[in-house]
Amino acid sequence: TVTTQSCATCGVTVSGTLRIGKSGDAAGATTTLNAADKTWTLAGTTGTPLIILSSPAGAFTPSTSTVIYSGINATGTTSVVGTPYYNLQTTGAETYDLAADTTVSNILTIGASATLDAKTVTLTLSGTTGAPFVKTGTFTPSSSTVSYTGNYATDNTTVTAATYNHLILNNGSETYALAGATSANGTVTATAGTLEVGTQTLTAGNVTVSGGTLSMTGTGGIVKISGGGTFSMSSGSFVTSDVATAVQLTSADTVTPT
């Protein structure tokens, strides 16, 4: 295990490729990089600025670090390795593709000129700051699933206004509040905790309440089900002050109550 010195104001910039693990190492050996509390800027322009070998195994321990992908690949996109991060940032006029399932345990930030394409993976946002997803650039959901699982001890957790594919809210101790108009091409699932629509509009192909709570107590809050979609409750609860206008359905939609 390689552990960098503690220094929250220090940074490491890799202009080529950061490789964790080495071909030819003994079978069963694992090389681990502990990123400590530093900022790691991956500025490589090859499209693969971080490589974590699978055999012999490499491993990345994020601790409380920040990893910034900033390199621009002139001939394509840049791959973001699927691994646990503490803070993950993308910056620069580039499209960054999530290569595999990824967990960000503090804050995910998409910079103003950057695009993050979540491809087919599950992106888990477990940060407990109340704002685990900061988006000033572009989020492309493709066929991904984004799961908010963090619990902000002193207030609600904000669900960033964006277009998602599948969106999951899953922490029984938390209220997840929409920050603005939000849409999901696939299914929004309230598995645990409360999804608070408030005064916002939530548009989704399907909405499923399966153990959590869908709350619509704000004036003007609306859930719109896309044509042919389903609003279902297998368990949990639905709280609204105006059921007549809160959920908008078309003739092709299905309502499945508990």
Side-chain angles (χ1 to χ4, degrees):
T1 299
V2 178
T3 302
T4 56
Q5 288 183 320
S6 178
C7 177
T9 60
C10 298
V12 177
T13 298
V14 181
S15 58
T17 300
L18 173 61
R19 298 175 184 270
I20 305 174
K22 181 182 178 182
S23 298
D25 283 351
T30 299
T31 301
T32 300
L33 173 62
N34 187 325
D37 54 1
K38 287 184 172 59
T39 295
W40 296 74
T41 301
L42 304 179
T45 59
T46 64
T48 52
L50 173 60
I51 296 175
I52 303 175
L53 292 187
S54 57
S55 180
F60 178 71
T61 301
S63 296
T64 57
S65 66
T66 296
V67 176
I68 303 172
Y69 284 80
S70 66
I72 297 175
N73 179 9
T75 60
T77 61
T78 293
S79 179
V80 175
V81 170
T83 191
Y85 297 91
Y86 185 69
N87 292 312
L88 172 62
Q89 300 179 14
T90 58
T91 184
E94 175 66 315
T95 295
Y96 299 93
D97 297 334
L98 289 182
D101 291 352
T102 300
T103 296
V104 181
S105 60
N106 198 46
I107 300 174
L108 168 65
T109 303
I110 304 175
S113 300
T115 296
L116 180 65
D117 189 334
K119 294 296 184 180
T120 62
V121 311
T122 295
L123 172 60
T124 301
L125 304 175
S126 59
T128 58
T129 64
F133 184 12
V134 177
K135 181 182 74 69
T136 55
T138 300
F139 177 69
T140 301
S142 294
S143 54
S144 66
T145 297
V146 176
S147 181
Y148 285 78
T149 64
N151 176 25
Y152 182 36
T154 59
D155 208 336
N156 299 337
T157 290
T158 297
V159 176
T160 294
T163 297
Y164 299 88
N165 183 50
H166 300 306
L167 174 63
I168 298 174
L169 299 314
N170 189 15
N171 188 306
S173 300
E174 185 59 308
T175 294
Y176 298 98
L178 298 186
T182 300
S183 62
N185 300 322
T187 300
V188 175
T189 304
T191 302
T194 298
L195 170 56
E196 178 57 70
V197 175
T199 61
Q200 307 301 330
T201 297
L202 173 64
T203 304
N206 307 285
V207 173
T208 299
V209 181
S210 59
T213 297
L214 175 62
S215 176
M216 302 181 61
T217 56
T219 302
I222 297 172
V223 172
K224 295 181 179 180
I225 307 298
S226 302
T230 299
F231 180 84
S232 65
M233 291 185 62
S234 58
S235 60
S237 58
F238 176 39
V239 180
T240 180
S241 57
D242 187 359
V243 72
T245 60
V247 178
Q248 296 185 3
L249 304 166
T250 71
S251 59
D253 297 326
T254 302
V255 178
T256 306
T258 302

